Amino acid sequence: MRCVFTAERLALSLLLVLGVSACDGSSASSSPNDVTDCDSLEADSADAGAYPLDDVLRLNHIQLKGTHNSYHLAPAELAVPDWDYSHAPLKVQLSKLGVRQVELDIHWHAEDETFHIYHIPILDDRSTCATLKECLSEMLEWSVAHPDHAPLFILIEPKDDVDLEPIVGHYDDLDREILEVWPRERVLTPDDARGDHPDLRKARIEDGWPTLGECRGKAIFQMLDSDEHRANYLGDPPSLAGRVLFVRGGEEDPWGGFVEKGAYADSEEDLKALALAGMILRSSPDNILPEKAPDNPIRAAIAIRAGVHLISTDMPAPVEDGYWFELPDGVAARCNPITAPPECTPEDVENLSGGVDHWPNPLEAME
């Protein structure tokens, strides 16, 4: 990623380094929500980013590198081969591996009345961050320190199929926990995207998604569910009014806008059509199993050229011999090859000072 250094930007970067400790939670008296005290510093830094297309590019004009089960650590005793992978801590993924989309599996624990983060109880329950608040706080610290970053997508999957405590009935708790950590002004919500329109579909068709400038430095939360949890979260009649998370939904759903679809040779044209229709797409094109290895680069290439916006991988870190996923030119974020206007460049999407400093081994970050 090309980085432009000027005297003004260097000075502002030094100010940001000196000032971020007051709003990154490192002070004993500070909390994650104290970042609002640094609004003026963040505004100056964003101006220095010089993103001339921020009022032209829209949310669906970008393509981001993401991770699947972003918190995951391989279990000590492996019961299922698919679980044999470990991710770096979330902040390392954001700062070193160029990740701009994460996925968190949530479980409600009644004993402390909070959401915990892991895959499956007992058999696959190791995580780099124990609770939703802990995970979000870690990412918020990075976000505050890099206010020019491309939108950060945080995908949340309610995973209570084998839990003792159901998540049903705790959707307000989910919204509350998110906003107790992530300040409301740093979140793009369904209400923000809908604006004055009656629903998200009409807003998307008539006005398009919010501009990149309206989303820069913010988090976008989405629920990964197409059944009971989505229906309960939407309510009756179905609406996302006042909610924090977007949900999956097709082109005709009034609350839709996000689609999950596999990247295969026979789905490439469908993916392109959905992207052109204004949907935001997510796909997980690779697999850690050795027998799937030959398909990984093929499916990843399909996802990239088909305009999938969020490409989630289990293998985000460079390896000496074998496959790992990155976007072209190793950037964290770039112009969507299907939807972005021709004048768009990767630097228009994100151009953080220092770029992406790849971490050679994610496990080193945990030693």
Side-chain angles (χ1 to χ4, degrees):
M1 178 183 293
R2 179 177 63 86
C3 299
V4 179
F5 292 94
T6 64
E8 180 187 21
R9 186 162 183 81
L10 179 60
L12 287 166
S13 297
L14 290 172
L15 285 173
L16 183 59
V17 170
L18 292 172
V20 71
S21 61
C23 57
D24 68 356
S26 60
S27 169
S29 62
S30 65
S31 70
N33 268 322
D34 290 338
V35 296
T36 52
D37 294 337
C38 298
D39 283 346
S40 60
L41 176 60
E42 292 175 10
D44 289 343
S45 179
D47 290 341
Y51 292 100
L53 296 185
D54 261 10
D55 293 332
V56 175
L57 298 177
R58 295 189 175 272
L59 187 61
N60 63 315
H61 290 161
I62 64 177
Q63 187 173 67
L64 307 177
K65 177 180 179 177
T67 48
H68 162 252
N69 288 354
S70 309
Y71 57 86
H72 191 267
L73 293 175
E77 297 184 9
L78 190 65
V80 178
D82 298 73
W83 299 345
D84 192 17
Y85 65 95
S86 294
H87 283 306
L90 296 174
K91 189 163 64 172
V92 173
Q93 292 186 45
L94 300 178
S95 63
K96 305 293 185 180
L97 301 180
V99 169
R100 297 295 179 266
Q101 170 262 299
V102 301
E103 177 187 348
L104 305 174
D105 291 342
I106 60 169
H107 304 259
W108 177 256
H109 282 210
E111 68 272 15
D112 57 3
E113 297 186 333
T114 193
F115 289 98
H116 288 239
I117 303 297
Y118 53 89
H119 189 216
I120 293 174
I122 303 175
L123 294 177
D124 192 20
D125 61 357
R126 297 182 67 218
S127 174
T128 62
C129 45
T131 66
L132 177 61
K133 285 187 174 182
E134 181 183 328
C135 297
L136 295 180
S137 296
E138 185 178 339
M139 291 186 287
L140 179 62
E141 180 181 353
W142 176 87
S143 176
V144 169
H146 302 85
D148 292 0
H149 67 78
L152 176 60
F153 284 79
I154 302 175
L155 314 185
I156 294 181
E157 181 173 4
K159 212 168 184 68
D160 59 353
D161 296 352
V162 296
D163 288 0
L164 295 176
E165 298 285 342
I167 290 175
V168 174
H170 294 289
Y171 305 111
D172 290 344
D173 293 317
L174 177 57
D175 284 351
R176 173 183 52 79
E177 283 204 11
I178 292 172
L179 294 180
E180 282 179 354
V181 175
W182 216 283
R184 171 63 182 85
E185 64 272 15
R186 298 176 67 91
V187 178
L188 183 82
T189 68
D191 285 340
D192 297 331
R194 181 171 49 249
D196 296 329
H197 295 280
D199 55 57
L200 284 170
R201 180 177 180 273
K202 284 190 177 295
R204 187 179 74 250
I205 292 173
E206 296 181 11
D207 290 345
W209 287 97
T211 65
L212 188 53
E214 293 170 319
C215 304
R216 187 171 298 286
K218 294 184 178 182
I220 299 168
F221 294 86
Q222 184 208 342
M223 178 182 288
L224 296 184
D225 187 79
S226 300
D227 199 2
E228 176 186 33
H229 294 299
R230 181 180 69 180
N232 288 327
Y233 190 76
L234 282 167
D236 187 20
S239 168
L240 290 174
R243 286 301 194 185
V244 175
L245 289 86
F246 292 84
V247 298
R248 290 173 178 166
E251 290 182 71
E252 301 304 318
D253 294 320
W255 32 263
F258 290 81
V259 172
E260 184 141 356
K261 190 175 181 65
Y264 300 96
D266 60 0
S267 66
E268 183 170 353
E269 294 307 314
D270 289 340
L271 289 169
K272 291 178 180 178
L274 286 166
L276 289 171
M279 308 302 285
I280 292 180
L281 311 176
R282 188 241 184 161
S283 187
S284 301
D286 51 37
N287 192 299
I288 66 165
L289 296 177
E291 60 267 28
K292 301 287 187 180
D295 294 332
N296 288 339
I298 298 171
R299 293 186 58 201
I302 291 172
I304 289 172
R305 65 175 179 255
V308 173
H309 303 81
L310 313 175
I311 304 178
S312 301
T313 181
D314 287 330
M315 294 163 277
V319 293
E320 291 183 2
D321 183 23
Y323 166 88
W324 61 286
F325 177 79
E326 67 173 356
L327 292 174
D329 300 319
V331 298
R334 71 176 199 134
C335 309
N336 190 291
I338 300 299
T339 60
E343 64 269 29
C344 179
T345 69
E347 290 82 5
D348 292 318
V349 180
E350 184 180 278
N351 188 19
L352 301 183
S353 58
V356 175
D357 180 15
H358 289 304
W359 195 273
N361 183 350
L363 295 181
E364 291 181 13
M366 294 173 277
E367 294 179 352

